[in-house]
Amino acid sequence: MRRGAVVVSVLCLGAAWLLGRGFDPRSWLQPRSRLLSAAELGRYRGAPGDPGLYLALLGRVFDVQPGRKHYGPGGAYSGLAGVTAPFATGRDATRAFATGDFTPSGLVDDVSALSPAEMLTIQSWLSFYSTNYACVGKLVGRFYDENGAPTEALRQAEAAIEEGLKFKAESDQWKERFPPCNSEWSSAKGSRFWCSRQSGGVNRDWTGVPRKLYRPGLRGSHCVCVRTNGPPWGQQGSAQHSDRGDLDNPHLQEYDGCHPRAEQCILST
């Protein structure tokens, strides 16, 4: 499980990098007309005597032979390719791209229980493979029928991806408005939250003060930095405002024991 946790971290970071580099997760190369059964895919395991090395993702089959050092037997992502792990024989292991679960129960193509954000991670990798490897066909099964036509499962997966894209756009807007705080914790001093002009990875010309943000539709709160002067977000240019920035936003809450205008809060354990 430790290896799986490391790999999923790499996958998620890679997906974030791909999005940041401008990959459009909604664009992918259309699979060619070749249709493969699970048994046929199982022949492309990259072992000596095998005809090649294939990987399936959302039913699309890619020739990953050029990346053999990564996907071949013993490679970091070998569990994702054709049959390079005994329990992955002839399977589309799409789910593992998002979860990092390389157990037999995790190397499956059922993505119905994944969140839109997890589906967006999968689609980022699909965009990557479409750009860097040849798509050689479709895997007949969950996502394509025996005629190569998309199934309802694929349509549902694509709908979840679209929902993920909308959620990401909304999250980016929230982050720009309320950048995350810096934070640290120690058993001796407790928790410390503070703001800077680069906190949360958002460069800006103001520092802000820490607040709890309760974002609609999400559970719990997280620490964000809030602008303390000028007009509220979305009202730039307005001549009539209280010059309190976003301090009066109803989704914010002050930290107990912290001065309302302090740029850092220390909460004892």
Side-chain angles (χ1 to χ4, degrees), residues 68-162:
R68 181 181 178 82
K69 66 178 181 179
H70 303 297
Y71 303 101
Y77 306 126
S78 61
L80 302 175
V83 292
T84 51
F87 45 77
T89 302
R91 297 183 183 180
D92 178 330
T94 296
R95 184 181 176 86
F97 277 86
T99 66
D101 182 358
F102 295 96
T103 65
S105 62
L107 284 163
V108 296
D109 58 1
D110 184 1
V111 296
S112 60
L114 296 184
S115 69
E118 289 172 319
M119 289 301 301
L120 190 55
T121 297
I122 289 173
Q123 186 54 32
S124 297
W125 284 103
L126 182 58
S127 178
F128 168 78
Y129 286 114
S130 296
T131 301
N132 293 278
Y133 295 98
C135 181
V136 296
K138 308 172 186 177
L139 177 64
V140 175
R142 184 178 297 273
F143 301 112
Y144 292 97
D145 64 21
E146 61 276 7
N147 297 315
T151 64
E152 180 61 25
L154 181 58
R155 286 188 285 271
Q156 291 178 0
E158 291 174 341
I161 289 168
E162 287 298 323

Side-chain angles (χ1 to χ4, degrees), residues 34-239:
R34 181 182 176 188
L35 300 177
L36 290 89
S37 67
E40 288 175 307
L41 176 62
R43 296 176 55 233
Y44 290 81
R45 58 196 301 176
D50 288 349
L53 182 60
Y54 286 178
L55 177 150
L57 184 61
L58 276 184
R60 295 165 174 81
V61 182
F62 296 94
D63 181 354
V64 294
Q65 183 66 34
R68 181 181 178 82
K69 66 178 181 179
H70 303 297
Y71 303 101
Y77 306 126
S78 61
L80 302 175
V83 292
T84 51
F87 45 77
T89 302
R91 297 183 183 180
D92 178 330
T94 296
R95 184 181 176 86
F97 277 86
T99 66
D101 182 358
F102 295 96
T103 65
S105 62
L107 284 163
V108 296
D109 58 1
D110 184 1
V111 296
S112 60
L114 296 184
S115 69
E118 289 172 319
M119 289 301 301
L120 190 55
T121 297
I122 289 173
Q123 186 54 32
S124 297
W125 284 103
L126 182 58
S127 178
F128 168 78
Y129 286 114
S130 296
T131 301
N132 293 278
Y133 295 98
C135 181
V136 296
K138 308 172 186 177
L139 177 64
V140 175
R142 184 178 297 273
F143 301 112
Y144 292 97
D145 64 21
E146 61 276 7
N147 297 315
T151 64
E152 180 61 25
L154 181 58
R155 286 188 285 271
Q156 291 178 0
E158 291 174 341
I161 289 168
E162 287 298 323
E163 185 177 346
L165 289 169
K166 293 177 183 177
F167 180 80
K168 181 180 183 300
E170 181 181 336
S171 295
D172 289 345
Q173 189 176 60
W174 277 95
K175 183 177 180 179
E176 183 180 357
R177 181 178 183 180
F178 297 119
C181 301
N182 299 308
S183 64
E184 64 180 8
W185 178 89
S186 71
S187 57
K189 297 182 179 180
S191 299
R192 181 168 79 100
F193 304 100
W194 75 100
C195 294
S196 68
R197 294 192 174 191
Q198 295 83 34
S199 58
V202 180
N203 294 317
R204 53 194 188 274
D205 59 4
W206 52 274
T207 300
V209 296
R211 289 289 190 276
K212 296 178 184 178
L213 172 65
Y214 292 86
R215 184 174 158 187
L218 299 182
R219 295 181 178 179
S221 66
H222 65 277
C223 183
V224 298
C225 297
V226 181
R227 224 168 21 92
T228 60
N229 54 47
W233 178 272
Q235 297 183 28
Q236 287 80 357
S238 173

Side-chain angles (χ1 to χ4, degrees), residues 226-249:
V226 181
R227 224 168 21 92
T228 60
N229 54 47
W233 178 272
Q235 297 183 28
Q236 287 80 357
S238 173
Q240 297 182 346
H241 57 79
S242 60
D243 196 31
R244 286 174 51 83
D246 290 302
L247 288 174
D248 299 320
N249 187 282

